[in-house]
Amino acid sequence: MSEIVASPGVTLPEPAPANGWLRELRATFALAWPLVIAQLAQNALHTTDVILLGWLGPDYLAAGTLATSFFMPILLFGVSIVGAVAPLVAQARGARDIKAIRRIVRQGFWVTIVMSTLLLPLVLQVRPIYERLGQDPATTAMAEQFLQIVAWSLFPALGIIALRSLLSAFDATRVVLVITVLGVVVNAAVAYTLIFGHFGMPRLELRGAAIATLTTNIIMFLAMLTYVVRHRRFGRFHILIRFWRADWGHFRAIFRIGLPIALTVVAEVGMFTAAALLIGRLGTDELAAHAVALQCASMAFMVPLGLGIAATVRVGIAYGRRDAEGIKLAGWTSFMLGTGFMVLSCVLFLTMGPALVTIFLDPNNPENANALALAASFLAVAGLFQLADGAQVAAAHALRGLSDTKIPMLFAILGYWGIGLPVGYLLSDFAGWRGVGVWTGLAVGLSFVAVVLVTRFAMRERLGLLDALKPTSA
């Protein structure tokens, strides 16, 4: 996942001032729909693997879930830090400073190399970590087999974020979307071929899915790099010239902007990872069901996430032009659109849950009956927290447009780790709710964060978040 951060001082294209709700609705929708599609396409990469591994059986799906639950927080931590390239490039664009753009993207590659090198050994420690956490040894061994290959995708994956940040800052989002869709096709074709051994290729099962993920990331990175280097609009930046020359100011700036966002993202994703560990103790069927329900919830989340990214930009633009009314319109419009969509996903999960889960597990296989029933029950709980999930992502991104990231980060850690997970553990182990108890804890944590962040945005003036808009005395 990638996020665009807007902050004061970052120059972005100025739309016409928002004079009413309808105009803001149109502007937000026009900005958001390509972002939503790109997020859905990105999520489809993982969805393909979940479906194909589900066809192999619950054991493979459970192993893949353990592996991705361990890998995703690590990947997103690096992605969020490198994503700080976007606002820095946008600021340099506003200043028409071509040299700064080159240096920022170059330092983005440096951060990519540093973060990938630091995170790679951690990914490879999956087996001893999971063994200490009491996970099934056989499932853990299969997860390690998967991650030994996937770990190397950190380098191209983070490199993609640096390049995508450059393209996004210059409104070149269509090429990002095209390359992402290309990645979905490549991943599906390679994974289908190698997982099941079609077209004369060996049957590699989990390792086949891992090779597909690594191959897809490499192809996407090379395609994006080729476009940036060869296209006349971006070739003038010469991002690879004097690649090894340091620019410590921009290097530090990427970490300064990206770290609070990274910690916020990891707090939320880490909660779902810990939930997978709690459910993993209950059995393979529970873990496979968790994977199915989580994938459905993740797909729905991509829509408010795309709207949230648009909110960061719209609120940031209004903040930059010192427009308090524009900030209100942009923030609440994103909130209404995001929660409005989540009403639809809530109804879908509650009414069509048993049918949705059969996409991932074969209902004709008697061995899948228990996993299917569990997945439907988990998805029902997921339906109940859809509104909270949409509200918290809209509020968090609107606050980000005001450069308010540190306090929301603390609220996120408290809500996810201080409230959500303990409640899930108590309901699962002591109340006997098992997997449903864990998912109920997730709902409680998300609801707390949603209430706090929405309240913080509503009270933005009282809390001094708009003090920079007030005229200063001579």
Side-chain angles (χ1 to χ4, degrees), residues 310-331:
T312 298
V313 176
R314 294 292 299 166
V315 170
I317 291 171
Y319 186 75
R321 68 171 180 251
R322 309 171 74 87
D323 180 3
E325 181 68 13
I327 291 171
K328 180 187 79 171
L329 291 175

Side-chain angles (χ1 to χ4, degrees), residues 141-290:
M142 294 170 68
E144 181 185 42
Q145 194 179 68
F146 180 85
L147 287 179
Q148 284 176 339
I149 298 171
V150 168
W152 296 96
S153 67
L154 282 168
F155 290 94
L158 298 190
I160 288 170
I161 299 303
L163 292 169
R164 190 164 65 184
S165 296
L166 170 64
L167 294 168
S168 297
F170 280 83
D171 311 311
T173 54
R174 289 187 180 181
V175 66
V176 175
L177 179 58
V178 169
I179 291 175
T180 304
V181 172
L182 171 66
V184 174
V185 175
V186 170
N187 184 71
V190 176
Y192 178 74
T193 299
L194 295 182
I195 288 175
F196 300 104
H198 293 304
F199 311 115
M201 300 299 290
R203 181 184 173 95
L204 300 177
E205 298 178 339
L206 270 173
R207 285 181 298 165
I211 292 172
T213 298
L214 176 59
T215 302
T216 299
N217 277 280
I218 292 173
I219 291 175
M220 290 174 64
F221 172 74
L222 292 177
M224 204 169 288
L225 180 62
T226 300
Y227 180 87
V228 168
V229 171
R230 295 181 64 87
H231 194 281
R232 60 184 179 84
R233 187 182 183 195
F234 298 100
R236 61 195 171 104
F237 298 130
H238 303 291
I239 62 171
L240 299 181
I241 287 181
R242 293 185 289 275
F243 183 81
W244 299 109
R245 177 175 293 182
D247 187 331
W248 298 115
H250 287 126
F251 185 83
R252 288 190 294 269
I254 291 172
F255 279 101
R256 185 178 67 251
I257 296 172
L259 189 56
I261 298 172
L263 292 175
T264 301
V265 171
V266 168
E268 181 176 2
V269 176
M271 176 181 67
F272 284 93
T273 298
L277 297 177
L278 290 175
I279 291 176
R281 301 173 306 140
L282 303 176
T284 299
D285 284 345
E286 283 84 352
L287 190 56
H290 174 75

